[in-house]
Amino acid sequence: MRRFVAGLDGGGTKTAVKIADENGLLVHTFTSGAINYNGQDEESIRLSFQDIFAGIAGACGGLDPCKQIVIGAAGVSNPTVRARVEANARACGYEGGLLITGDQETALCGAHDSEVGIIVIAGTGSICYGKNEAGDSVRSGGYGHLIDDEGSGYAIGRDLLSATVQAHDGRIPETVISGMVYEQLGLASVQEIVGFVYNKSTNKKDIAALAPILGIACELRDSAAWAIAAKHAEALASMAAPVIEKLSMQTGSLAMAGSVLLQNREIRQGFAERIKERYPELSCIEAKKDAASGAVRMALNRLEAAQA
């Protein structure tokens, strides 16, 4: 009987699913609803799980041939969340091997096509995570937008808004950032910006959506934009340093992932330069594959280990 594995990447708004056979051949990919308990209600998560496992069963000819599933999702360091995720998976009739882990682990495995390495993720939030050959793992950052997440889309969006109000007051020189912020938000005054920021319906993704403005402003050689880019490149390098040091992984490669590092040239280059200055034998690379592919690789590793 042909055997299969599945990898799930549970993002904030959707879940990416990849299914491969025991030889690693990808046989099916699809997306479903979010399974993140930080932002979804119990019923919508239950329905998403039903849809996901129906898709897995359809691709594998039932759930029995799927021998190992790895689910990477945010918030599963909380034991109650992990237990609820497992309960939902089992309620769908799945009885095979199941690993529920943090999405930073699946992202790392996808980035390096290995469970060993270091990854810095800067998207809506930010985190650095690493694991060495001995199996030791270390994380840095990723404590949420209210107290952390420097170098993230949210932090950049916040600083763009801050530059706009500071330029309005004359605390910093005029900046092209202001006009672009007003245009994107469809607003016309600092008072309206304050209303937008403190409106209870405004969430961190609304603030993070402003982040692409930074790259355009940097291309226009705006001094405020350059200062913001330098600040966050340094913040990300500082976040990576303790992971590199604690794991003694000053050589090899460090993977970069997330919209900020992949789409903002100034922050990516600034980050890579700072890493190179501190760790000359450590090179920065773009992630090889996505987190769902990493979850598949982890599932295959566990299937192989079970056979050994």
Side-chain angles (χ1 to χ4, degrees):
M1 180 179 69
R2 192 180 183 193
R3 299 184 302 171
F4 301 88
V5 301
L8 279 63
D9 175 33
T13 57
K14 67 181 189 299
T15 302
V17 184
K18 294 193 173 184
I19 301 162
D21 70 9
E22 60 191 307
N23 298 313
L25 177 67
L26 194 65
V27 296
H28 188 49
T29 65
F30 65 96
T31 60
S32 185
I35 56 172
N36 188 336
Y37 278 93
N38 291 335
Q40 305 295 322
D41 63 272
E42 191 82 40
E43 180 61 14
S44 65
I45 290 174
R46 187 181 66 81
L47 293 173
S48 292
F49 268 99
Q50 288 181 352
D51 180 66
I52 289 165
F53 279 86
I56 293 171
C60 301
L63 289 177
D64 284 347
C66 187
K67 299 301 182 183
Q68 180 72 49
I69 293 177
V70 171
I71 301 174
V76 297
S77 57
N78 182 332
T80 61
V81 172
R82 189 184 299 263
R84 288 155 79 189
V85 170
E86 180 170 3
N88 267 298
R90 298 304 186 193
C92 293
Y94 179 69
E95 298 177 355
L98 180 64
L99 173 66
I100 300 162
T101 189
D103 51 0
Q104 74 274 9
E105 290 199 45
T106 51
L108 168 67
C109 191
H112 291 279
D113 202 20
S114 166
E115 294 186 46
V116 173
I118 299 175
I119 186 169
V120 173
I121 308 168
T124 303
S126 61
I127 190 171
C128 179
Y129 177 75
K131 182 181 286 188
N132 63 19
E133 293 282 0
D136 302 318
S137 63
V138 175
R139 65 169 274 179
S140 174
Y143 298 109
H145 68 290
L146 291 179
I147 59 172
D148 196 26
D149 281 0
E150 292 302 299
S152 70
Y154 172 85
I156 291 166
R158 180 196 61 209
D159 282 357
L160 293 170
L161 289 164
S162 180
T164 300
V165 299
Q166 288 182 37
H168 171 267
D169 289 349
R171 285 180 277 166
I172 63 172
E174 288 187 9
T175 167
V176 299
I177 290 169
S178 301
M180 288 189 279
V181 167
Y182 285 129
E183 182 179 359
Q184 182 165 324
L185 295 178
L187 303 177
S189 69
V190 162
Q191 288 73 27
E192 287 181 310
I193 283 180
V194 172
F196 161 77
V197 170
Y198 293 102
N199 189 312
K200 290 182 179 178
S201 67
T202 300
N203 60 42
K204 66 179 182 180
K205 290 180 182 176
D206 297 325
I207 305 293
L210 294 166
I213 287 173
L214 181 63
I216 302 168
C218 284
E219 288 178 6
L220 295 172
R221 306 180 69 81
D222 182 84
S223 60
W226 279 354
I228 293 171
K231 169 189 173 182
H232 291 291
E234 175 60 34
L236 290 171
S238 296
M239 186 171 66
V243 177
I244 295 166
E245 297 287 348
K246 290 175 183 177
L247 294 174
S248 299
M249 296 179 73
Q250 293 90 344
T251 62
S253 61
L254 178 155
M256 302 179 294
S259 57
V260 171
L261 280 169
L262 298 184
Q263 296 173 19
N264 188 294
R265 183 178 62 190
E266 286 72 26
I267 291 180
R268 182 174 64 252
Q269 290 180 348
F271 170 76
E273 287 167 4
R274 286 164 172 79
I275 292 296
K276 200 70 175 175
E277 286 169 8
R278 299 174 196 181
Y279 308 103
E281 296 181 54
L282 185 64
S283 60
C284 292
I285 63 168
E286 290 190 14
K288 295 178 181 178
K289 297 176 182 176
D290 59 21
S293 298
V296 167
R297 169 48 55 196
M298 292 176 71
L300 287 167
N301 290 346
R302 278 146 188 80
L303 188 65
E304 291 168 10
Q307 287 180 269

